Amino acid sequence: MITRSTMSRFRQFSIVVIVILIYIWAFSGLPSIGLKETSVEVVSAIISGIFSPDWDYVYDPGGEDLLRGLLDTLAIAVLGTIIAAILSIPFAFLAARNITKSRAVVGVNKVLLSFIRVFPDIVLALLFIKAVGPGAFAGVLALGIGAIGMLGKLISESIENVDLNAREALIASGANPVKTFIFAVVPQVLTNYFSFVMYRLEVNMRAATILGVIGAGGIGTPLIFALSVRNWERVGIILLGIIVMVTLVDLISSKIRARFT
Amino acid sequence: MKKVQTAQRPINYSIPPSKTKHVMSFILIFILVWLSGKQIDFSITELMEGLPNMWELLIQLLPPDWSYFKEVTNPMLETIRMAIVGTTIGGLLAFFLAMLAAKNVFSYPWITGPTRFILNLIRTLPELLLASIFVAVFGIGPIPGIFALTFFSLGIIAKLFYESIEAIDPGPMEAMTAVGANKVKWIMFGVVPQVMSSFVSFFLYAFEINIRAAAVLGLVGAGGIGLYYEKTLGFFQYDRVSTIIIYTLLVVLVIDYCSTKIREKLT
């Protein structure tokens, strides 16, 4: 439709047929929507739960409460992001074509980074739970390792875009490699670096809220628990808490990122 | 320290700029990390104790159980189906909601405001969370998964799409207004042709994300291959776990590749 002039009629036709076949295949394999008779009840219960949340759950000095769960989640996201921010630096430099001269090293690192990137965070968390036991620690490790893929890729691309004139000037004036690196490459990448890290914090914040679903700490655990005992008021207040927290982190992060660019 | 900054002195460019701000930021980050570590009882000793376990786990993952590929093909296909259906429904809804959210299509704040608010709300909830709620509503199976993916892709596509609608050329729209077209025709012929290719591109992008998301939805009972992680991990069949992981990676890579190629053609 869009490129009618450039694409031949036949090709257009075959694309339409392929798309239609894909859709027939996709929809035919689905079970019919079997609404449980309780569905409507549950939905209205959740909605009324969101509008009349269980405020007592917000702060309970004795035991598990919402604030504690949210703080845990925030802590997991922050630690995971910091770990990834540190670990991704060497990967990023090794994957940058203009810094690392060996083509093989660059290639291996690029493949490694894309491998980490397609690996779902949740699967990583499952593996870490098996390794270090359930809890927030497994979640931190999962986010810390999982974020290397994206951060490493973004940072290495920004390193590849560095203007190398400054570097040449420093080399010409007799600076040693370390100084050249610190004064010519790092300053150009630094603002991008912080901006990527903040962006990843936003992503990790959302990821951290679901880690608890599989037992890797944070607010997901009480949510799953409340869902399984059908305590809709509690589900409501937890959802509200997550929405408020994620929105706040997004706001702060975008404010900080706006200052960098 | 503050006094130095507030004192009105002529700026001397031979003195490097004050480092106070950087030092303070660094201290702030450090405190944040320290507090976070304290909150979740992060301990280095635990990490050291866990490292050998991780190594053992990695060894157990290899070699993958190749015969298991056949067994998980059906759930894999179900995952792909869920992603296609979820993205499609989400994309269609997003198309209309994005129109309502774009300020140059509906210049009434009472339409764009609430629509954007709803879209922002949807975007804060990750797919697995949505899925676990929908499982409570609809019961176990692919249907809650599809609903979760619908909402999830609705959030992504609508946001990207209304931003691109707002960036279009007002010329054709003005021309449509000048010849007295009604609102529906105005949108159909003034707005849609300009944004169709970016819509398809966002749609494919959401599809790529949804394939990854769909692969883990089974963990909360929302259908697809994710269910098999639980099964195999529960029985310590790590060779099968790695089969599932490799299978998922292959599917994701192939779909990413195709989708990227198509998106490159669109732009």
Side-chain angles (χ1 to χ4, degrees):
Chain A
M1 243 191 286
I2 311 117
T3 49
R4 180 165 294 177
S5 52
T6 52
M7 209 186 285
S8 71
R9 265 276 150 89
F10 175 72
R11 246 179 102 193
Q12 216 174 34
F13 181 72
S14 53
I15 286 173
V16 170
V17 169
I18 289 171
V19 170
I20 289 174
L21 283 179
I22 289 175
Y23 274 108
I24 290 174
W25 171 77
F27 278 92
S28 65
L30 287 176
S32 57
I33 297 186
L35 281 182
K36 288 198 298 182
E37 48 290 10
T38 50
S39 296
V40 181
E41 225 174 283
V42 171
V43 171
S44 55
I46 291 180
I47 291 172
S48 74
I50 289 177
F51 286 108
S52 63
D54 178 5
W55 291 112
D56 293 340
Y57 182 65
V58 173
Y59 183 68
D60 174 7
E64 296 285 307
D65 57 13
L66 179 69
L67 282 178
R68 197 188 165 80
L70 289 179
L71 277 180
D72 275 355
T73 311
L74 187 68
I76 293 171
V78 168
L79 280 183
T81 312
I82 293 282
I83 290 175
I86 296 167
L87 290 182
S88 59
I89 295 173
F91 284 102
F93 279 104
L94 288 175
R97 232 174 284 133
N98 54 350
I99 300 292
T100 307
K101 291 298 167 215
S102 156
R103 285 205 147 194
V105 175
V106 171
V108 166
N109 272 286
K110 281 203 192 290
V111 169
L112 188 67
L113 286 178
S114 36
F115 180 77
I116 301 176
R117 224 168 30 248
V118 290
F119 218 92
D121 284 353
I122 286 292
V123 175
L124 268 180
L126 281 174
L127 295 178
F128 279 121
I129 285 174
K130 285 284 169 188
V132 299
F137 192 50
V140 168
L141 292 177
L143 293 187
I145 304 297
I148 292 176
M150 190 189 102
L151 282 180
K153 179 186 184 225
L154 289 174
I155 300 167
S156 76
E157 279 171 358
S158 126
I159 295 171
E160 282 176 355
N161 287 331
V162 158
D163 175 13
L164 286 180
N165 286 338
R167 193 176 178 212
E168 276 161 25
L170 277 182
I171 293 172
S173 61
N176 64 27
V178 178
K179 277 192 176 162
T180 319
F181 182 72
I182 291 177
F183 292 105
V185 180
V186 173
Q188 293 188 56
V189 181
L190 211 56
T191 52
N192 277 342
Y193 173 76
F194 284 123
S195 158
F196 296 148
V197 170
M198 289 314 288
Y199 173 66
R200 187 64 209 193
L201 179 67
E202 291 172 35
V203 176
N204 274 356
M205 201 60 240
R206 288 173 171 75
T209 60
I210 55 179
L211 286 173
V213 172
I214 54 160
I219 192 71
T221 316
L223 178 73
I224 274 291
F225 188 67
L227 277 170
S228 64
V229 299
R230 315 204 157 262
N231 185 347
W232 303 121
E233 281 87 20
R234 185 158 291 184
V235 172
I237 187 79
I238 293 175
L239 283 180
L240 209 63
I242 292 174
I243 289 172
V244 169
M245 180 179 62
V246 171
T247 312
L248 277 180
V249 170
D250 275 9
L251 266 179
I252 296 171
S253 163
S254 63
K255 279 268 172 339
I256 296 178
R257 281 199 285 145
R259 294 190 68 171
F260 281 130
T261 46
Chain B
M1 287 236 180
K2 263 198 171 154
K3 267 186 185 164
V4 180
Q5 277 191 332
T6 47
Q8 292 290 321
R9 261 188 247 160
I11 300 166
N12 182 351
Y13 286 101
S14 63
I15 299 173
S18 157
K19 288 201 168 128
T20 318
K21 203 173 145 196
H22 294 149
V23 171
M24 291 315 268
S25 314
F26 191 77
I27 291 173
L28 196 72
I29 292 173
F30 186 78
I31 290 174
L32 202 62
V33 170
W34 185 70
L35 285 179
S36 304
K38 227 181 142 197
Q39 177 73 23
I40 60 156
D41 305 322
F42 191 93
S43 74
I44 299 290
T45 50
E46 209 176 316
L47 179 64
M48 288 303 152
E49 281 166 23
L51 277 179
N53 287 347
M54 270 186 242
W55 184 242
E56 260 171 52
L57 183 78
L58 275 180
I59 291 169
Q60 281 176 313
L61 281 171
L62 296 168
D65 178 0
W66 300 110
S67 62
Y68 197 56
F69 266 101
K70 226 173 167 181
E71 230 172 293
V72 287
T73 295
N74 267 332
M76 194 68 210
L77 291 178
E78 187 179 62
T79 304
I80 300 173
R81 271 193 201 115
M82 280 162 53
I84 293 176
V85 176
T87 317
T88 307
I89 304 174
L92 290 177
L93 291 175
F95 191 90
F96 296 109
L97 279 179
M99 292 290 170
L100 292 178
K103 279 179 184 149
N104 53 348
V105 178
F106 287 95
S107 47
Y108 316 109
W110 57 270
I111 295 183
T112 55
T115 317
R116 281 174 189 222
F117 181 72
I118 292 169
L119 289 177
N120 281 335
L121 272 189
I122 294 174
R123 259 204 326 283
T124 55
L125 295 176
E127 73 287 350
L128 211 59
L129 218 65
L130 290 170
S132 48
I133 294 166
F134 283 120
V135 166
V137 177
F138 298 107
I140 288 170
I143 296 295
I146 289 170
F147 273 97
L149 294 177
T150 301
F151 271 83
F152 187 56
S153 38
L154 169 65
I156 305 172
I157 300 176
K159 160 104 191 208
L160 291 170
F161 192 43
Y162 82 65
E163 280 172 359
S164 97
I165 293 175
E166 286 183 349
I168 61 174
D169 174 19
M173 290 143 75
E174 278 164 19
M176 294 293 294
T177 316
V179 296
N182 65 25
K183 196 79 186 174
V184 176
K185 281 195 177 152
W186 185 82
I187 291 176
M188 281 279 288
F189 299 104
V191 180
V192 172
Q194 293 193 61
V195 287
M196 211 48 218
S197 68
S198 51
F199 177 74
V200 176
S201 163
F202 299 145
F203 181 85
L204 288 169
Y205 171 69
F207 180 60
E208 287 173 37
I209 298 178
N210 274 351
I211 279 282
R212 290 179 171 79
V216 293
L217 287 183
L219 282 170
V220 294
I225 200 161
L227 178 67
Y228 288 76
Y229 283 116
E230 289 256 283
K231 273 191 188 167
T232 49
L233 278 170
F235 290 114
F236 303 104
Q237 295 163 322
Y238 292 112
D239 50 343
R240 294 193 161 182
V241 175
S242 58
T243 309
I244 301 175
I245 293 175
I246 292 171
Y247 205 166
T248 313
L249 293 185
L250 280 177
V251 170
V252 168
L253 283 178
V254 169
I255 286 177
D256 272 12
Y257 178 79
C258 299
S259 163
T260 315
K261 279 275 165 261
I262 301 174
R263 286 202 281 145
E264 271 170 15
K265 280 203 168 168
L266 284 172
T267 47

